[in-house]
Amino acid sequence: MTDATFSDPAAARQSVPPARAGGLRLPLQWLGVAPFFIFALMFLIFPTFYLVVGAFQNDQGEFTLANIASLLQPSILAAYWISIRVSLASAVLGALAGLAISIAIVRGGLPRWVRSATMTFSGVASNFAGVPLAFAFLATLGRLGLVTVLLRTWFDINIYGLGFNILSFAGLTLTYLFFQIPLMVVIITPAIDGLKKEWGEAAATLGATQVQFWRMVVIPVLWPSFLGTVILLFANAFGAIATAYALTGSSLNIVPILLYAQIRGDVLHNPHLGYALAFGMIFITGLANVFYIWFRTRSERWLK
Amino acid sequence: MKPSRFWAWLTFALGAAYFFIPLIATFEFSLRMRRGEYSFDAYRVVFGDVRFQETFAYSTIIACFTIVIGVLLVVPTAYWIRLRMPQIRPVVEFITLLPLIIPAIVIVFGYIRMYGSNSPLPFLATTRGTDVLLMIGYATLALPYMYRAVDTGLRTIDVRTLTEAAQVHGAGWTTIIVRIILPNVLIAVLSGAFLTFAIVIGEFTMASLLNRPAFGPYLQNIGANRAYEPAALAVISFAITWGCMSVIQVLARFAPKSANNPN
Amino acid sequence: MSETFLSIQGVRKAFGQTTVVKDFNLEVARGEFVSFLGPSGCGKTTMLRMVAGFEEPTAGRIMIGGKDVTNLKPNQRNIGMVFQAYALFPNLTVSQNIGFGLKVAGASKAEITDRVKEMLSIIKLEGFGDRYPYQLSGGQQQRVALARALAPKPKILLLDEPLSALDAKVRISLREEIRAIQKKLDITTIFVTHDQEEALSMSDRIVVMYDGKAEQVGTPFEIYNRPSTKFVANFVGTLNVLDGTVVDPATATVRINDRDISLKKGQLNGAKAGDVLSLALRPEAIVLGKQDGRDTNLGGQISDVSFLGSVIRVRVGLGKNAVSLDTFNSPASPPPVVGERTEISFSSDDLLVLH
């Protein structure tokens, strides 16, 4: 339908001057974006909404807070807690490491090829997640992994004897860093580029030390994009399941894995508790997103 | 000058070590299938596996359809918003960012509940329908990247002037989009397409929960049951991702440069 | 001229194999406004950055107020600098930007507030103190940058092409404003520019630079009217160059086309009979037609006429030479016509031999 309208040259020519196309043609204008909105509603917003509503209903379809209350049972709380810890740790560590690498390649006076190689690699690694990533880390730091074996034979260090386990909080965090750090590099490098060399020179001529310049200009300028990216990385890790599932099976009890098991086999014996579990995930990432938007607008207040 | 360069090199070296050691280790591990010597046996086994061929082919086809859906959805929308409705831009941008916030597992959970065999729109009642739903789900996952790529592409060309110039010559809307706008943002669309491919090809969650024989669940299955093949598969996957990103980089060199942003 | 305040002695700067500043010497008096004028790549910005301390001279030394600052870091030199791209800190308000230098020096709040207020009134932006840089126009941003540089009372003000990013109109008004503030505060200033009009209108003295060397140092009047090299003559203002053959060195007679012309004495610099010289002549020194008081005239043909509003620029072919000249537009008389035979006249004293 919409296509037919738009391919009619006569209609198109009538609506040429955008100024005149305003009020009268409003419904026709909306036809242009209708497919997008219908798609978004049907396959993004309604399905999510369906779960959110379900989280507040009992089997009879009546309103209840019982499902949300059931989230407070120890095993589910523990799942949320470890998910938040892994996501937060990998987001913060990934952001700091990514920031350091970004500053090094933009500001460190390294040859040009270092920067372009790093950016290319980051583009690849930030998209290298999921099951294969888990394989790579099992081959590296698993019980028979190359690094594990070399540390044992060369330096007589048995990392598993020291309490390390790839199937743990530390192991999962270390694995997630493989896509978190590059994602940070990809996102934050433009922001570092935005730090003008002249700012540093202006600060120097005004008598500021490097430390003063960083404290008064660099950190305040970078802070919103840094924090915004941390939150994005957090959401990125919080919803990830494939890596963790392939790495640990279901031995590590994080929320996405719990939800996965619930969808497959109703392990919680209450469909509405599954909805509540999903609602909890959206709630946490949504909360993070509110911060993200807030910091974005702050960042934009300064930078144009 | 000197000390800062030292720290820069050190940071870079540490980063490089963190990223290259797992890749080297994985590659080394993948060569160890034959006892006592290095060989490509694991790769031979993987490539010879019928299920590998089937699932990879299935995921490739799904990825291609996903790209088509994504392009049809994003290009006209982004174009129309640039041309006529800049005021709803923030809303659309917000929606395209939602898939980064709503985890894939939640989206697919919603699909399973909403589009089951007893629902008014029973996508899941048939295999074909499930395939379509999987493509739609993937198009949703790729939406943030596709929209961003296309919108950036449109920003570098002057959409309004091009459109008006075409209209002066009597072109209709289909002609404008197909003959004028699409070729000019082709590079951007292709970048989005390859990124979509990289995301979709090994996706696990949606395919697994919709019970489709895709590459992601196959990988997971091999991982749970085999020793050396997973390492070989990881290397192959990394190569595929690398290939997609390289194509995007090469494409970027052909992209039209904007007047106000020559770099 | 009063005592020297900034002294640049034998400064050289090389980046690897390329020398970008060669043996640069300059004495600047207290309160003087000196411009470095030259095309891009002539070394003027590098020289300025050595004064600021961003680049270290390969050889030579720089003294400010009698103190050797060659090895001091930029933040120890007490200088103020204004950049082409404003370089205001985006996260700080106008007031915070202006107060930055005082704050890092540990000045008290009251002191900073007073000084910021004073600077805002000097740059005529009272009431803009709480805005952010992006809320200001380019001209306003550059005025804030100037105030920021001046607030800590620097010994020297360095301006690195501060007007090139601005619109033509703003450029001219800011040019006057910068000069007025500089005079009022009596601050020693180095101004880098590639725009001869800026340099001529603002400076006490101009250093014309080319290929890492100071070609000529002098007042705007000297630079414009008595360029000492071909480069200076070409770079500053529009210039006609005529070929003349030396006829008699003793009487300083040269031949242009078919006419023998006597130059002012002492210009030939030892040229022998038969040598071909380049003789410079400003467009404004030439008039169309015969005129009293100008001793030389040459015949030619009008080859081009451009109407520029208040003046008309006419190009006249004179055999193998050609000159441009300006005549005032007058509604009463019709403009010259291309192809017309004409005569030009000038005073032989205005001919300048270029070396």
Side-chain angles (χ1 to χ4, degrees), chain A residues 3 5-9 11-13 15-18 21 28-33 35-37 39-40 42-48 50-51 97 100-101 104-105 107-111 113-114 116 118-121 123-125 127-128 131-132 135-137 139-140 144-147 149 173-179 181-182 232 235-236 238-239 241-242 245-246 256 259-260 262-264 271 274-275 278 281-282 285-286 289 292-293 296, chain B residues 4-5 7-9 11-12 15 18-26 28-29 32 69 73-74 76-77 80-81 83-85 87-88 91-115 121 123 133 136 139-140 143 145 147-148 160 164 167 170-174 195 198-199 202 204-205 208-211 216 219-220 222-224 229-231 233-235 237-238 241-242 245-246 249:
Chain A
D3 277 340
T5 317
F6 294 146
S7 54
D8 175 6
R13 240 171 280 132
S15 64
V16 168
L28 201 75
Q29 280 210 10
W30 284 94
L31 280 181
V33 289
F36 175 82
F37 279 102
F39 182 92
M42 275 183 69
F43 299 112
L44 190 57
I45 295 169
F46 285 161
T48 311
Y50 186 96
L51 298 180
I101 291 172
I105 60 169
R107 279 292 134 90
L110 302 182
W113 66 264
V114 172
S116 55
T118 306
M119 291 309 288
T120 308
F121 184 86
V124 178
N127 285 295
F128 183 65
V131 183
F135 295 167
F137 271 80
T140 310
L144 293 173
L146 183 70
V147 171
V149 172
T173 305
L174 196 65
T175 310
Y176 278 10
L177 286 178
F178 200 89
F179 58 82
I181 293 173
L232 197 69
N236 190 33
F238 196 77
I241 164 167
Y245 190 71
L259 182 57
Y260 182 83
Q262 165 69 11
I263 298 170
R264 296 233 94 163
Y275 298 159
M281 290 184 76
I282 303 168
T285 55
N289 188 47
Y292 178 65
I293 290 171
R296 269 277 300 246
Chain B
S4 95
R5 195 167 304 181
W7 287 112
W9 275 118
T11 309
F12 177 71
Y18 171 77
F19 285 99
F20 278 100
I21 288 173
L23 294 175
I24 294 165
T26 309
E28 196 267 355
F29 201 83
R32 277 201 273 174
I69 294 174
L73 192 66
V74 165
T77 308
W80 195 245
I81 283 167
L83 188 66
R84 282 295 168 76
M85 309 182 80
Q87 69 276 13
I88 62 160
V91 181
V92 172
E93 276 192 356
F94 176 75
I95 292 173
T96 61
L97 281 174
L98 280 180
L100 295 180
I101 308 308
I102 306 171
I105 189 167
V106 172
I107 295 174
V108 74
F109 188 21
Y111 288 179
I112 291 169
R113 295 297 148 154
M114 266 189 80
Y115 300 117
L121 262 174
F123 276 105
L133 198 58
I136 287 171
T140 312
L143 189 61
Y145 308 97
Y147 186 83
R148 220 124 283 244
R160 176 156 293 179
E164 284 171 0
Q167 284 174 335
W173 285 112
T174 320
L195 198 56
I199 294 166
F204 167 74
T205 317
S208 161
L209 286 173
L210 293 178
N211 283 317
L219 288 174
Q220 198 276 329
I222 292 293
E229 288 90 333
L233 283 165
V235 172
S237 300
F238 192 82
T241 312
W242 187 286
M245 295 299 137
S246 306
Q249 281 239 319

Side-chain angles (χ1 to χ4, degrees), chain C residues 124 174-186 202:
Chain C
K124 302 193 189 82
L174 198 52
R175 188 152 97 188
E176 289 156 6
E177 206 172 325
I178 289 177
R179 181 58 163 155
I181 293 170
Q182 184 268 336
K183 274 196 170 140
K184 186 171 161 196
L185 301 181
D186 195 30
M202 294 172 81

Side-chain angles (χ1 to χ4, degrees), chain A residues 197-199 201-209 212 216-217 220-221 301-304, chain C residues 49 54 74-75 79 81 83 87-91 100-101 103-104 132 134 148-149 152:
Chain A
K197 200 180 89 205
E198 285 89 352
W199 294 345
E201 295 181 346
T205 58
L206 291 166
T209 60
Q212 283 171 320
M216 294 169 73
V217 179
V221 168
R301 207 175 85 209
W302 302 333
L303 302 162
K304 279 172 247 167
Chain C
R49 291 173 62 79
F54 297 131
N75 60 5
I79 43 172
M81 185 152 172
F83 300 82
L88 293 178
F89 306 129
N91 61 318
F100 187 90
K103 194 171 175 197
V104 297
Y132 283 99
Y134 82 99
R148 180 180 66 178

Side-chain angles (χ1 to χ4, degrees), chain A residues 35-271:
Chain A
F36 175 82
F37 279 102
I38 291 169
F39 182 92
L41 284 174
M42 275 183 69
F43 299 112
L44 190 57
I45 295 169
F46 285 161
T48 311
F49 198 64
Y50 186 96
L51 298 180
V52 172
V53 171
F56 293 95
Q57 281 177 341
N58 59 20
D59 289 338
Q60 286 71 48
E62 294 153 352
F63 176 81
T64 176
L65 287 173
N67 304 318
I68 304 297
S70 321
L71 289 179
L72 299 176
Q73 58 186 277
S75 68
I76 294 181
L77 273 185
Y80 272 108
W81 181 228
I82 191 160
S83 267
I84 290 173
R85 271 169 61 215
V86 168
S87 308
L88 204 60
S90 73
V92 171
L93 291 176
L96 289 174
L99 182 68
I101 291 172
S102 226
I103 291 174
I105 60 169
V106 176
R107 279 292 134 90
L110 302 182
R112 279 185 79 94
W113 66 264
V114 172
R115 182 193 165 125
S116 55
T118 306
M119 291 309 288
T120 308
F121 184 86
S122 297
V124 178
S126 62
N127 285 295
F128 183 65
V131 183
L133 178 63
F135 295 167
F137 271 80
L138 280 173
T140 310
L141 287 165
R143 281 180 193 281
L144 293 173
L146 183 70
V147 171
T148 313
V149 172
L150 288 185
L151 283 175
R152 200 167 51 220
T153 47
W154 290 358
F155 304 106
D156 201 27
I157 300 171
N158 180 0
I159 52 171
Y160 277 79
L162 295 170
F164 177 82
N165 188 344
I166 191 73
L167 317 177
S168 68
F169 164 72
L172 196 59
T173 305
L174 196 65
T175 310
Y176 278 10
L177 286 178
F178 200 89
F179 58 82
Q180 298 279 55
I181 293 173
L183 192 55
M184 179 71 179
V185 171
V186 168
I187 298 175
I188 207 77
T189 299
I192 308 269
D193 278 331
L195 294 173
K196 299 211 174 63
K197 200 180 89 205
E198 285 89 352
W199 294 345
E201 295 181 346
T205 58
L206 291 166
T209 60
Q210 274 291 313
V211 175
Q212 283 171 320
F213 172 57
W214 272 74
R215 189 166 50 79
M216 294 169 73
V217 179
V218 177
I219 293 175
V221 168
L222 281 185
W223 187 235
S225 8
F226 177 80
L227 219 53
T229 317
V230 167
I231 285 157
L232 197 69
L233 296 190
F234 175 84
N236 190 33
F238 196 77
I241 164 167
T243 309
Y245 190 71
L247 201 59
T248 69
S250 41
S251 71
L252 194 65
N253 184 30
I254 61 173
V255 181
I257 289 182
L258 188 62
L259 182 57
Y260 182 83
Q262 165 69 11
I263 298 170
R264 296 233 94 163
D266 194 15
V267 290
L268 301 169
H269 310 295
N270 177 0

Side-chain angles (χ1 to χ4, degrees), chain C residues 43 54 56 79 107-108 112 164 175 193 200 281 307 325 336 338:
Chain C
F54 297 131
E56 216 176 305
I79 43 172
S108 74
I112 297 175
S164 6
R175 188 152 97 188
T193 182
L200 291 171
L281 198 57
F307 187 72
L325 61 99
V338 175

